[in-house]
Amino acid sequence: MTQTQGSESVRDRLLGAILSEAAFDGWNGASLAAAARECGLSDGDVRLALPRGVLDLVARWSQRCDREAEAEIGAADLKSMKIRERVTFAVLARLETIGSDDEAARKARARLLLPDAGTLGAELIWATSDMIWRALGDSSTDVNFYTKRMTLSAVYGSSLAAWLGDQSADKAEAKAFLDRRIENVMQFEKFKAQTRKLTANLPDPAEIFGKLRYGFDRRT
């Protein structure tokens, strides 16, 4: 086993042990120490596997949930769904990987808002959005690659907050919130498509500005 594989194994063991601790005490040094004791790991083992401490475990959990959701999306009959249904299904699949660990997830979200977490929260949401689009078969490489992920990051981030705030068993309010957000996105995409059609025959702004900068051809 390589050092990297060993560190990953330690992270997975610690993650399994810390979820129940974090639900009560939050993602902090105390809950990490308790998880390490449960796993029989030394401080050195923990520091080697987790250079950023509990933040590495939060990231590991998000990545694990991404993999679980990706497998579920990949096993679904996506061809029978419309694009809106596919995106909704995929986002729900990811949210449902949280399972019964809602409180640990709420505490993780709060932890990511602290200054020392930097941009990690945004990076994890972007990674989740990227996973969803790839799992849905998106192959875009142009500007659409980024706009799709930016839009879905906003949808997923707000839907995650609604999911964690909805303490009902069926998450009905959170699901309704997600439906509204997806509807907003679909309306925006429809508006963009209509705008492209209306402006298809208009002059290219880049060409106009280029002429303004370098001068119009007087022969025209």
Side-chain angles (χ1 to χ4, degrees), residues 160-171:
L160 174 61
W163 187 269
L164 296 178
D166 185 350
Q167 299 188 31
S168 64
D170 60 0
K171 300 287 187 181

Side-chain angles (χ1 to χ4, degrees), residues 151-165:
T151 302
L152 188 57
S153 290
V155 170
Y156 177 75
S158 59
S159 296
L160 174 61
W163 187 269
L164 296 178

Side-chain angles (χ1 to χ4, degrees), residues 16-197:
I18 201 174
L19 285 173
S20 59
E21 298 285 343
F24 290 98
D25 298 326
W27 296 80
N28 52 42
S31 59
L32 179 56
R37 286 194 299 271
E38 182 179 330
C39 295
L41 296 169
S42 68
D43 291 343
D45 293 329
V46 174
R47 285 195 297 271
L48 182 63
L50 307 174
R52 294 181 296 179
V54 292
L55 291 177
D56 282 326
L57 287 184
V58 173
R60 187 71 171 177
W61 188 20
S62 182
Q63 292 157 4
R64 188 181 74 180
C65 289
D66 282 350
R67 290 194 298 271
E68 292 175 2
E70 186 174 14
E72 183 174 349
I73 297 166
D77 181 15
L78 298 176
K79 292 182 180 179
S80 66
M81 305 179 193
K82 297 179 180 179
I83 183 60
R84 172 178 177 158
E85 295 170 333
R86 294 178 191 177
V87 176
T88 302
F89 170 82
V91 173
L92 280 176
R94 176 58 176 82
L95 292 171
E96 288 170 350
T97 61
I98 296 171
S100 60
D101 293 312
D102 277 16
E103 190 55 39
R106 278 190 281 271
K107 295 282 184 22
R109 186 168 177 270
R111 181 65 182 83
L112 290 172
L113 295 176
L114 296 181
D116 66 327
T119 60
L120 180 59
E123 291 168 5
L124 294 177
I125 288 178
W126 178 275
T128 294
S129 300
D130 180 51
M131 175 278 295
I132 288 174
W133 277 120
R134 286 187 292 101
L136 292 176
D138 177 58
S139 58
S140 60
T141 56
D142 55 5
V143 68
N144 282 328
F145 176 92
Y146 298 98
T147 56
K148 283 182 176 181
R149 282 150 182 79
M150 289 175 62
T151 302
L152 188 57
S153 290
V155 170
Y156 177 75
S158 59
S159 296
L160 174 61
W163 187 269
L164 296 178
D166 185 350
Q167 299 188 31
S168 64
D170 60 0
K171 300 287 187 181
E173 290 185 8
K175 291 176 181 177
F177 178 89
L178 172 60
D179 284 340
R180 292 194 297 271
R181 290 308 310 273
I182 296 293
E183 175 63 22
N184 291 342
V185 171
M186 298 307 293
Q187 290 298 325
F188 178 63
E189 290 299 318
K190 185 177 180 180
F191 169 76
K192 285 201 304 182
Q194 291 172 340
T195 301
R196 282 195 294 270
K197 289 181 180 178

